[in-house]
mmCIF file of all heavy atoms in Angstrom:
data_model
loop_
_atom_site.group_PDB
_atom_site.id
_atom_site.type_symbol
_atom_site.label_atom_id
_atom_site.label_comp_id
_atom_site.label_asym_id
_atom_site.label_seq_id
_atom_site.Cartn_x
_atom_site.Cartn_y
_atom_site.Cartn_z
ATOM 1 N N LEU A 17 189.871 122.610 217.092
ATOM 2 C CA LEU A 17 190.459 121.292 216.919
ATOM 3 C C LEU A 17 191.408 121.344 215.721
ATOM 4 O O LEU A 17 192.446 120.772 215.755
ATOM 5 C CB LEU A 17 189.390 120.233 216.741
ATOM 6 C CG LEU A 17 189.884 118.783 216.595
ATOM 7 C CD1 LEU A 17 190.795 118.392 217.770
ATOM 8 C CD2 LEU A 17 188.707 117.864 216.437
ATOM 9 N N ALA A 18 190.978 121.988 214.649
ATOM 10 C CA ALA A 18 191.810 122.081 213.437
ATOM 11 C C ALA A 18 193.155 122.803 213.763
ATOM 12 O O ALA A 18 194.198 122.379 213.310
ATOM 13 C CB ALA A 18 191.074 122.782 212.333
ATOM 14 N N ARG A 19 193.062 123.874 214.571
ATOM 15 C CA ARG A 19 194.296 124.555 214.965
ATOM 16 C C ARG A 19 195.190 123.687 215.824
ATOM 17 O O ARG A 19 196.412 123.677 215.624
ATOM 18 C CB ARG A 19 193.949 125.857 215.737
ATOM 19 C CG ARG A 19 193.355 126.941 214.867
ATOM 20 C CD ARG A 19 193.281 128.288 215.577
ATOM 21 N NE ARG A 19 192.545 128.263 216.813
ATOM 22 C CZ ARG A 19 191.234 128.460 216.962
ATOM 23 N NH1 ARG A 19 190.510 128.744 215.904
ATOM 24 N NH2 ARG A 19 190.688 128.422 218.139
ATOM 25 N N VAL A 20 194.623 122.944 216.723
ATOM 26 C CA VAL A 20 195.391 122.055 217.571
ATOM 27 C C VAL A 20 196.058 120.959 216.686
ATOM 28 O O VAL A 20 197.229 120.663 216.898
ATOM 29 C CB VAL A 20 194.515 121.404 218.673
ATOM 30 C CG1 VAL A 20 195.233 120.266 219.367
ATOM 31 C CG2 VAL A 20 194.038 122.440 219.671
ATOM 32 N N GLU A 21 195.288 120.359 215.776
ATOM 33 C CA GLU A 21 195.864 119.319 214.924
ATOM 34 C C GLU A 21 197.003 119.882 214.026
ATOM 35 O O GLU A 21 197.983 119.238 213.850
ATOM 36 C CB GLU A 21 194.774 118.697 214.096
ATOM 37 C CG GLU A 21 193.870 117.803 214.905
ATOM 38 C CD GLU A 21 192.728 117.138 214.168
ATOM 39 O OE1 GLU A 21 192.419 117.711 213.051
ATOM 40 O OE2 GLU A 21 192.189 116.186 214.596
ATOM 41 N N ALA A 22 196.789 121.126 213.524
ATOM 42 C CA ALA A 22 197.807 121.728 212.709
ATOM 43 C C ALA A 22 199.068 121.950 213.528
ATOM 44 O O ALA A 22 200.201 121.697 213.011
ATOM 45 C CB ALA A 22 197.299 123.043 212.135
ATOM 46 N N CYS A 23 198.905 122.429 214.723
ATOM 47 C CA CYS A 23 200.062 122.654 215.591
ATOM 48 C C CYS A 23 200.764 121.321 215.921
ATOM 49 O O CYS A 23 201.972 121.235 215.938
ATOM 50 C CB CYS A 23 199.591 123.336 216.883
ATOM 51 S SG CYS A 23 200.944 123.666 218.038
ATOM 52 N N ALA A 24 199.949 120.271 216.122
ATOM 53 C CA ALA A 24 200.484 118.994 216.473
ATOM 54 C C ALA A 24 201.293 118.430 215.237
ATOM 55 O O ALA A 24 202.382 117.836 215.417
ATOM 56 C CB ALA A 24 199.438 118.007 216.850
ATOM 57 N N GLN A 25 200.823 118.672 214.054
ATOM 58 C CA GLN A 25 201.503 118.228 212.850
ATOM 59 C C GLN A 25 202.885 119.002 212.698
ATOM 60 O O GLN A 25 203.867 118.406 212.322
ATOM 61 C CB GLN A 25 200.682 118.389 211.622
ATOM 62 C CG GLN A 25 199.545 117.352 211.584
ATOM 63 C CD GLN A 25 198.634 117.596 210.372
ATOM 64 O OE1 GLN A 25 198.801 118.541 209.624
ATOM 65 N NE2 GLN A 25 197.641 116.731 210.217
ATOM 66 N N LEU A 26 202.825 120.332 212.978
ATOM 67 C CA LEU A 26 204.046 121.085 212.943
ATOM 68 C C LEU A 26 205.068 120.585 213.940
ATOM 69 O O LEU A 26 206.251 120.512 213.638
ATOM 70 C CB LEU A 26 203.759 122.555 213.125
ATOM 71 C CG LEU A 26 203.018 123.300 212.040
ATOM 72 C CD1 LEU A 26 202.701 124.768 212.491
ATOM 73 C CD2 LEU A 26 203.895 123.344 210.804
ATOM 74 N N THR A 27 204.541 120.264 215.102
ATOM 75 C CA THR A 27 205.463 119.777 216.139
ATOM 76 C C THR A 27 205.912 118.379 215.893
ATOM 77 O O THR A 27 206.946 117.962 216.447
ATOM 78 C CB THR A 27 204.763 119.832 217.503
ATOM 79 O OG1 THR A 27 203.523 120.523 217.469
ATOM 80 C CG2 THR A 27 205.584 120.562 218.523
ATOM 81 N N ALA A 28 205.127 117.634 215.130
ATOM 82 C CA ALA A 28 205.505 116.210 214.833
ATOM 83 C C ALA A 28 206.845 116.213 214.084
ATOM 84 O O ALA A 28 207.672 115.360 214.403
ATOM 85 C CB ALA A 28 204.401 115.548 214.013
ATOM 86 N N GLY A 29 207.014 117.168 213.204
ATOM 87 C CA GLY A 29 208.318 117.249 212.500
ATOM 88 C C GLY A 29 209.443 117.580 213.486
ATOM 89 O O GLY A 29 210.547 117.077 213.426
ATOM 90 N N ALA A 30 209.130 118.502 214.373
ATOM 91 C CA ALA A 30 210.153 118.888 215.410
ATOM 92 C C ALA A 30 210.360 117.764 216.416
ATOM 93 O O ALA A 30 211.423 117.655 216.979
ATOM 94 C CB ALA A 30 209.675 120.144 216.116
ATOM 95 N N SER A 31 209.283 116.941 216.605
ATOM 96 C CA SER A 31 209.385 115.867 217.610
ATOM 97 C C SER A 31 210.449 114.856 217.200
ATOM 98 O O SER A 31 211.015 114.158 218.039
ATOM 99 C CB SER A 31 208.045 115.158 217.777
ATOM 100 O OG SER A 31 207.130 116.069 218.342
ATOM 101 N N ALA A 32 210.697 114.719 215.898
ATOM 102 C CA ALA A 32 211.744 113.793 215.446
ATOM 103 C C ALA A 32 213.097 114.236 216.025
ATOM 104 O O ALA A 32 213.901 113.405 216.373
ATOM 105 C CB ALA A 32 211.795 113.732 213.932
ATOM 106 N N LYS A 33 213.226 115.542 216.211
ATOM 107 C CA LYS A 33 214.456 116.050 216.786
ATOM 108 C C LYS A 33 214.430 116.043 218.305
ATOM 109 O O LYS A 33 215.425 115.749 218.988
ATOM 110 C CB LYS A 33 214.730 117.477 216.301
ATOM 111 C CG LYS A 33 214.865 117.594 214.759
ATOM 112 C CD LYS A 33 214.917 119.027 214.352
ATOM 113 C CE LYS A 33 214.847 119.101 212.845
ATOM 114 N NZ LYS A 33 214.650 120.452 212.404
ATOM 115 N N ALA A 34 213.264 116.495 218.850
ATOM 116 C CA ALA A 34 213.144 116.602 220.293
ATOM 117 C C ALA A 34 211.696 116.187 220.741
ATOM 118 O O ALA A 34 210.807 116.996 220.673
ATOM 119 C CB ALA A 34 213.463 118.004 220.780
ATOM 120 N N PRO A 35 211.512 114.913 221.089
ATOM 121 C CA PRO A 35 210.151 114.475 221.408
ATOM 122 C C PRO A 35 209.563 115.200 222.590
ATOM 123 O O PRO A 35 210.261 115.513 223.527
ATOM 124 C CB PRO A 35 210.325 112.976 221.716
ATOM 125 C CG PRO A 35 211.811 112.705 221.782
ATOM 126 C CD PRO A 35 212.512 113.892 221.213
ATOM 127 N N ASP A 36 208.296 115.507 222.461
ATOM 128 C CA ASP A 36 207.577 116.186 223.532
ATOM 129 C C ASP A 36 206.379 115.345 223.916
ATOM 130 O O ASP A 36 205.293 115.530 223.447
ATOM 131 C CB ASP A 36 207.133 117.544 223.104
ATOM 132 C CG ASP A 36 206.587 118.423 224.260
ATOM 133 O OD1 ASP A 36 206.362 117.825 225.333
ATOM 134 O OD2 ASP A 36 206.419 119.615 224.033
ATOM 135 N N ASP A 37 206.598 114.326 224.777
ATOM 136 C CA ASP A 37 205.568 113.423 225.168
ATOM 137 C C ASP A 37 204.365 114.156 225.860
ATOM 138 O O ASP A 37 203.248 113.739 225.716
ATOM 139 C CB ASP A 37 206.113 112.308 226.083
ATOM 140 C CG ASP A 37 207.057 111.379 225.358
ATOM 141 O OD1 ASP A 37 206.937 111.267 224.094
ATOM 142 O OD2 ASP A 37 207.968 110.831 226.014
ATOM 143 N N ASP A 38 204.717 115.193 226.607
ATOM 144 C CA ASP A 38 203.673 115.880 227.318
ATOM 145 C C ASP A 38 202.735 116.596 226.283
ATOM 146 O O ASP A 38 201.512 116.569 226.503
ATOM 147 C CB ASP A 38 204.264 116.929 228.282
ATOM 148 C CG ASP A 38 203.193 117.597 229.111
ATOM 149 O OD1 ASP A 38 202.402 116.848 229.733
ATOM 150 O OD2 ASP A 38 203.192 118.818 229.131
ATOM 151 N N LEU A 39 203.283 117.132 225.208
ATOM 152 C CA LEU A 39 202.435 117.780 224.213
ATOM 153 C C LEU A 39 201.505 116.768 223.579
ATOM 154 O O LEU A 39 200.322 116.988 223.377
ATOM 155 C CB LEU A 39 203.345 118.461 223.139
ATOM 156 C CG LEU A 39 202.580 119.115 222.007
ATOM 157 C CD1 LEU A 39 201.664 120.259 222.495
ATOM 158 C CD2 LEU A 39 203.546 119.607 220.941
ATOM 159 N N GLU A 40 202.042 115.601 223.235
ATOM 160 C CA GLU A 40 201.198 114.527 222.698
ATOM 161 C C GLU A 40 200.135 114.128 223.604
ATOM 162 O O GLU A 40 198.967 113.938 223.264
ATOM 163 C CB GLU A 40 202.053 113.351 222.270
ATOM 164 C CG GLU A 40 201.314 112.153 221.717
ATOM 165 C CD GLU A 40 200.678 112.399 220.384
ATOM 166 O OE1 GLU A 40 201.172 113.341 219.679
ATOM 167 O OE2 GLU A 40 199.704 111.769 220.050
ATOM 168 N N ARG A 41 200.467 113.977 224.908
ATOM 169 C CA ARG A 41 199.465 113.600 225.917
ATOM 170 C C ARG A 41 198.348 114.620 225.990
ATOM 171 O O ARG A 41 197.192 114.288 226.029
ATOM 172 C CB ARG A 41 200.139 113.367 227.283
ATOM 173 C CG ARG A 41 199.195 112.946 228.371
ATOM 174 C CD ARG A 41 199.810 113.082 229.785
ATOM 175 N NE ARG A 41 200.297 114.423 230.065
ATOM 176 C CZ ARG A 41 199.543 115.439 230.372
ATOM 177 N NH1 ARG A 41 198.205 115.351 230.411
ATOM 178 N NH2 ARG A 41 200.052 116.633 230.677
ATOM 179 N N ARG A 42 198.745 115.905 226.016
ATOM 180 C CA ARG A 42 197.772 116.994 226.104
ATOM 181 C C ARG A 42 196.883 117.033 224.860
ATOM 182 O O ARG A 42 195.696 117.235 224.907
ATOM 183 C CB ARG A 42 198.446 118.324 226.316
ATOM 184 C CG ARG A 42 199.054 118.444 227.722
ATOM 185 C CD ARG A 42 199.691 119.776 227.962
ATOM 186 N NE ARG A 42 200.872 119.856 227.103
ATOM 187 C CZ ARG A 42 201.423 121.008 226.662
ATOM 188 N NH1 ARG A 42 200.868 122.146 226.991
ATOM 189 N NH2 ARG A 42 202.512 120.980 225.891
ATOM 190 N N HIS A 43 197.496 116.802 223.730
ATOM 191 C CA HIS A 43 196.749 116.754 222.466
ATOM 192 C C HIS A 43 195.710 115.679 222.478
ATOM 193 O O HIS A 43 194.533 115.907 222.123
ATOM 194 C CB HIS A 43 197.686 116.588 221.304
ATOM 195 C CG HIS A 43 197.000 116.377 219.966
ATOM 196 N ND1 HIS A 43 196.292 117.411 219.373
ATOM 197 C CD2 HIS A 43 196.819 115.315 219.194
ATOM 198 C CE1 HIS A 43 195.735 116.936 218.257
ATOM 199 N NE2 HIS A 43 196.043 115.674 218.154
ATOM 200 N N VAL A 44 196.068 114.477 222.898
ATOM 201 C CA VAL A 44 195.145 113.353 222.985
ATOM 202 C C VAL A 44 194.057 113.688 223.972
ATOM 203 O O VAL A 44 192.864 113.447 223.680
ATOM 204 C CB VAL A 44 195.882 112.070 223.355
ATOM 205 C CG1 VAL A 44 194.923 110.945 223.693
ATOM 206 C CG2 VAL A 44 196.821 111.673 222.227
ATOM 207 N N ALA A 45 194.365 114.273 225.138
ATOM 208 C CA ALA A 45 193.335 114.605 226.128
ATOM 209 C C ALA A 45 192.416 115.656 225.588
ATOM 210 O O ALA A 45 191.191 115.607 225.741
ATOM 211 C CB ALA A 45 194.017 115.126 227.400
ATOM 212 N N LEU A 46 192.949 116.711 224.892
ATOM 213 C CA LEU A 46 192.097 117.729 224.339
ATOM 214 C C LEU A 46 191.187 117.151 223.262
ATOM 215 O O LEU A 46 189.979 117.493 223.195
ATOM 216 C CB LEU A 46 192.928 118.853 223.772
ATOM 217 C CG LEU A 46 192.208 120.027 223.159
ATOM 218 C CD1 LEU A 46 191.231 120.672 224.157
ATOM 219 C CD2 LEU A 46 193.133 121.054 222.575
ATOM 220 N N ARG A 47 191.703 116.332 222.437
ATOM 221 C CA ARG A 47 190.934 115.673 221.356
ATOM 222 C C ARG A 47 189.809 114.912 222.000
ATOM 223 O O ARG A 47 188.619 114.987 221.544
ATOM 224 C CB ARG A 47 191.792 114.796 220.520
ATOM 225 C CG ARG A 47 191.058 114.199 219.362
ATOM 226 C CD ARG A 47 191.972 113.292 218.513
ATOM 227 N NE ARG A 47 191.282 113.053 217.288
ATOM 228 C CZ ARG A 47 191.661 113.545 216.127
ATOM 229 N NH1 ARG A 47 192.754 114.286 216.029
ATOM 230 N NH2 ARG A 47 191.010 113.299 215.036
ATOM 231 N N GLY A 48 190.060 114.185 223.035
ATOM 232 C CA GLY A 48 188.995 113.425 223.715
ATOM 233 C C GLY A 48 187.961 114.381 224.328
ATOM 234 O O GLY A 48 186.717 114.047 224.225
ATOM 235 N N SER A 49 188.330 115.473 224.885
ATOM 236 C CA SER A 49 187.429 116.421 225.429
ATOM 237 C C SER A 49 186.509 117.016 224.378
ATOM 238 O O SER A 49 185.300 117.162 224.550
ATOM 239 C CB SER A 49 188.155 117.557 226.163
ATOM 240 O OG SER A 49 188.841 117.036 227.294
ATOM 241 N N VAL A 50 187.139 117.322 223.218
ATOM 242 C CA VAL A 50 186.368 117.932 222.172
ATOM 243 C C VAL A 50 185.367 116.900 221.562
ATOM 244 O O VAL A 50 184.216 117.213 221.335
ATOM 245 C CB VAL A 50 187.291 118.472 221.040
ATOM 246 C CG1 VAL A 50 186.545 118.795 219.775
ATOM 247 C CG2 VAL A 50 188.065 119.687 221.565
ATOM 248 N N GLN A 51 185.839 115.695 221.447
ATOM 249 C CA GLN A 51 184.903 114.663 220.966
ATOM 250 C C GLN A 51 183.746 114.451 221.917
ATOM 251 O O GLN A 51 182.614 114.273 221.490
ATOM 252 C CB GLN A 51 185.684 113.352 220.724
ATOM 253 C CG GLN A 51 186.612 113.404 219.529
ATOM 254 C CD GLN A 51 187.449 112.158 219.344
ATOM 255 O OE1 GLN A 51 187.746 111.479 220.344
ATOM 256 N NE2 GLN A 51 187.924 111.938 218.157
ATOM 257 N N ALA A 52 184.002 114.488 223.232
ATOM 258 C CA ALA A 52 182.942 114.359 224.204
ATOM 259 C C ALA A 52 181.959 115.498 224.124
ATOM 260 O O ALA A 52 180.734 115.347 224.206
ATOM 261 C CB ALA A 52 183.540 114.205 225.619
ATOM 262 N N ALA A 53 182.541 116.740 223.917
ATOM 263 C CA ALA A 53 181.632 117.914 223.832
ATOM 264 C C ALA A 53 180.791 117.856 222.574
ATOM 265 O O ALA A 53 179.592 118.163 222.610
ATOM 266 C CB ALA A 53 182.503 119.215 223.773
ATOM 267 N N LEU A 54 181.382 117.344 221.514
ATOM 268 C CA LEU A 54 180.600 117.207 220.237
ATOM 269 C C LEU A 54 179.528 116.168 220.411
ATOM 270 O O LEU A 54 178.375 116.333 219.945
ATOM 271 C CB LEU A 54 181.510 116.798 219.070
ATOM 272 C CG LEU A 54 182.421 117.918 218.608
ATOM 273 C CD1 LEU A 54 183.428 117.354 217.569
ATOM 274 C CD2 LEU A 54 181.666 119.050 218.015
ATOM 275 N N ALA A 55 179.797 115.088 221.132
ATOM 276 C CA ALA A 55 178.783 114.086 221.397
ATOM 277 C C ALA A 55 177.620 114.646 222.220
ATOM 278 O O ALA A 55 176.476 114.356 221.988
ATOM 279 C CB ALA A 55 179.448 112.869 222.119
ATOM 280 N N ARG A 56 177.961 115.454 223.235
ATOM 281 C CA ARG A 56 176.975 116.102 224.021
ATOM 282 C C ARG A 56 176.033 117.067 223.193
ATOM 283 O O ARG A 56 174.840 117.099 223.331
ATOM 284 C CB ARG A 56 177.527 116.844 225.226
ATOM 285 C CG ARG A 56 178.044 115.911 226.319
ATOM 286 C CD ARG A 56 178.351 116.658 227.625
ATOM 287 N NE ARG A 56 179.340 117.726 227.392
ATOM 288 C CZ ARG A 56 180.690 117.617 227.525
ATOM 289 N NH1 ARG A 56 181.153 116.426 227.862
ATOM 290 N NH2 ARG A 56 181.430 118.617 227.353
ATOM 291 N N LEU A 57 176.700 117.795 222.340
ATOM 292 C CA LEU A 57 175.972 118.713 221.430
ATOM 293 C C LEU A 57 175.088 117.941 220.472
ATOM 294 O O LEU A 57 173.920 118.292 220.213
ATOM 295 C CB LEU A 57 176.933 119.604 220.676
ATOM 296 C CG LEU A 57 177.602 120.704 221.465
ATOM 297 C CD1 LEU A 57 178.677 121.366 220.649
ATOM 298 C CD2 LEU A 57 176.576 121.691 221.976
#
Side-chain angles (χ1 to χ4, degrees):
L17 181 57
R19 288 191 305 270
V20 168
E21 288 178 339
C23 182
Q25 287 176 358
L26 287 174
T27 352
S31 293
K33 299 173 189 168
D36 189 348
D37 293 334
D38 187 52
L39 178 63
E40 177 67 22
R41 181 193 57 74
R42 289 182 292 153
H43 173 70
V44 169
L46 180 59
R47 184 182 195 109
S49 296
V50 169
Q51 288 173 337
L54 290 173
R56 287 192 303 268
L57 287 171

